[in-house]
Structure formats: structure tokens, C-alpha cells
Amino acid sequence: KQEVTQIPAALSVPEGENLVLNCSFTDSAIYNLQWFRQDPGKGLTSLLLIQSSQREQTSGRLNASLDKSSGRSTLYIAASQPGDSATYLCAVRPRRYSGAGSYQLTFGKGTKLSVIP
Amino acid sequence: DGGITQSPKYLFRKEGQNVTLSCEQNLNHDAMYWYRQDPGQGLRLIYYSQIVNDFQKGDIAEGYSVSREKKESFPLTVTSAQKNPTAFYLCAISIVGRAVAARSYNEQFFGPGTRLTVL
């Protein structure tokens, strides 16, 4: 069974710092990996999606990398801002093209990021 | 997010009551999902539906029921059989099958959530 782990569970950094959030998964047979942001009491906002054939994706100050063979992904945030404070979740989709569970995401528990002004 | 709405935002349930959470979308996406989120835990899948009139159980379907009579709507009923229903419930959507943009084919988009509390 796929397991997704995010370390650390919480992270506090001063404004302006570059930072890396980590995500690891136990089964490398994935179709894609998705990074989300969640503000307190809100739904999830999709940040980046990396297909299994890709190594990285970029959006603005965010860069996500994927090393499928080692079961790892990182989310790099450049020049952090107080508005980046949120919980960041990663999720993987299995490499099954039909049948039950083919669209099911497995989530990590998230990393709670605090950017201090 | 965008064309996904969930209502109500907050819901209170008495012991023994059934309650229904609404999820509506106007993005014409085929697949819809219900997740449950508890403090300190990752999201867990309750039910999902890839097409109208068809749905599949997720990891924690016991005590829940769903229907998919219309493409736009995927309501979730929390029955009295669910012993610990207090949680944050999230609805998501995605495209099924090939799409013009490969990214949109795979990506899941979430609604704003409903917080259910048992009194």
C-alpha cells in the first residue's frame, strides 16, 4: 500500500529565505504527483502537478522536482513571503489506468509553513 | 476552487441524524470525489464517481452514502451509522480520459469544504 510522508511537519522561516519542503512515497509506480496549498479552514489549492515522466515543474517562485526511482519530491519556494504561510500537501496518483483506485490520490499529512515578517 | 461549491460551510448534527453535504460544479468535469480530513491526518477518500449513475467506495466508505444523478452534483450523506463524523469534508473534481492539456486531464481541484460537528 502506498504511503506518503512529509517532513518536517512544521517549519518556521524568516521572510525572504529560500526553503525546501520534502515529500517521500513508498511505491515508485506512480502516474503523477501533485502539490497543494491549504489555508486554515479552507479547501486545497493546486500548486503544481508533475507527471511521472517529468523531472520538475515551475510556477512563479515555486519549483517542484520529482525523483521517482528514489520515491522523493521536493517543493522549492524562493524568496518566501508571509503570504506563503499555509500547510503544504503532496499527493500521488497510482500508475493504474482503469479500475477501482486508478484516480485515487494518496496524501501526505502536510508541512505547516510559517514565514515570519 | 473556481466552479466548485460546497454547502453548507458549517453543519451541526445531532446524534442519530442523517445529514447531507452538497457539492456542485459547473466545470463539466467527469469525476467527482469526497475526502475527509481530520486534524494531523492526511486526506482520506470516502467515495468517488467517474460518470453519472456510477460511483465507487474509497478507503473509508462505511457510514456514508452518495448519489450521482447529474454530472454537476455529487451529494454525500453522513448516516447515523458513521460513529465519528466530526471532520472537515472536501469535494474534488477532475477530468476523466484524454483532454487537450495533459495536465488538466490528471489534476484534481478542490472545493472550499464543509465542517461537520456532532453535538
Side-chain angles (χ1 to χ4, degrees):
Chain A
K1 182 182 176 183
Q2 178 74 271
E3 293 183 3
V4 178
T5 303
Q6 293 186 247
I7 295 174
L11 180 64
S12 184
V13 300
E15 181 178 2
E17 220 174 75
N18 302 326
L19 60 100
V20 174
L21 305 180
N22 297 295
C23 173
S24 62
F25 45 95
T26 55
D27 186 350
S28 62
I30 67 168
Y31 194 69
N32 61 47
L33 183 146
Q34 200 168 349
W35 280 95
F36 295 90
R37 168 188 172 134
Q38 186 177 31
D39 294 289
K42 306 290 186 182
L44 276 63
T45 299
S46 180
L47 297 174
L48 290 164
L49 182 145
I50 310 178
Q51 301 284 15
S52 62
S53 58
Q54 297 175 322
R55 299 281 297 184
E56 65 180 293
Q57 282 285 343
T58 298
S59 176
R61 294 184 293 109
L62 305 180
N63 177 278
S65 68
L66 175 64
D67 184 344
K68 198 173 58 169
S69 61
S70 67
R72 294 182 181 181
S73 176
T74 62
L75 179 66
Y76 174 83
I77 302 177
S80 59
Q81 303 170 358
D84 294 329
S85 298
T87 297
Y88 291 81
L89 299 156
C90 73
V92 298
R93 180 186 158 188
R95 195 173 63 202
R96 269 175 277 160
Y97 295 97
S98 64
S102 58
Y103 294 93
Q104 181 169 339
L105 296 182
T106 300
F107 282 83
K109 295 181 180 181
T111 294
K112 185 175 182 180
L113 173 65
S114 298
V115 180
I116 312 302
Chain B
D1 187 19
I4 310 171
T5 58
Q6 290 187 243
S7 62
K9 186 173 181 179
Y10 300 98
L11 185 58
F12 298 91
R13 192 193 93 167
K14 293 181 181 179
E15 294 280 353
Q17 266 187 341
N18 293 352
V19 292
T20 297
L21 284 60
S22 169
C23 178
E24 304 276 334
Q25 56 110 353
N26 61 7
L27 299 174
N28 201 36
H29 282 38
D30 299 293
M32 299 186 74
Y33 312 78
W34 275 106
Y35 291 89
R36 170 181 171 140
Q37 186 176 35
D38 295 280
Q41 294 199 34
L43 275 71
R44 293 180 290 169
L45 184 67
I46 305 172
Y47 269 99
Y48 68 99
S49 168
Q50 296 181 31
I51 57 173
V52 174
N53 293 322
D54 184 62
F55 47 83
Q56 306 291 332
K57 293 181 178 180
D59 294 329
I60 55 167
E62 185 175 351
Y64 300 97
S65 65
V66 293
S67 63
R68 187 83 186 277
E69 297 178 358
K70 300 185 299 181
K71 188 175 185 178
E72 308 78 35
S73 178
F74 190 40
L76 173 74
T77 296
V78 184
T79 75
S80 57
Q82 171 49 237
K83 298 305 178 188
N84 185 22
T86 295
F88 190 48
Y89 290 86
L90 290 157
C91 176
I93 65 174
S94 70
I95 294 174
V96 172
R98 297 251 175 234
V100 173
R103 175 189 163 117
S104 62
Y105 159 49
N106 294 291
E107 199 166 2
Q108 285 195 17
F109 300 95
F110 282 76
T114 292
R115 184 163 300 280
L116 173 62
T117 303
V118 174
L119 301 174

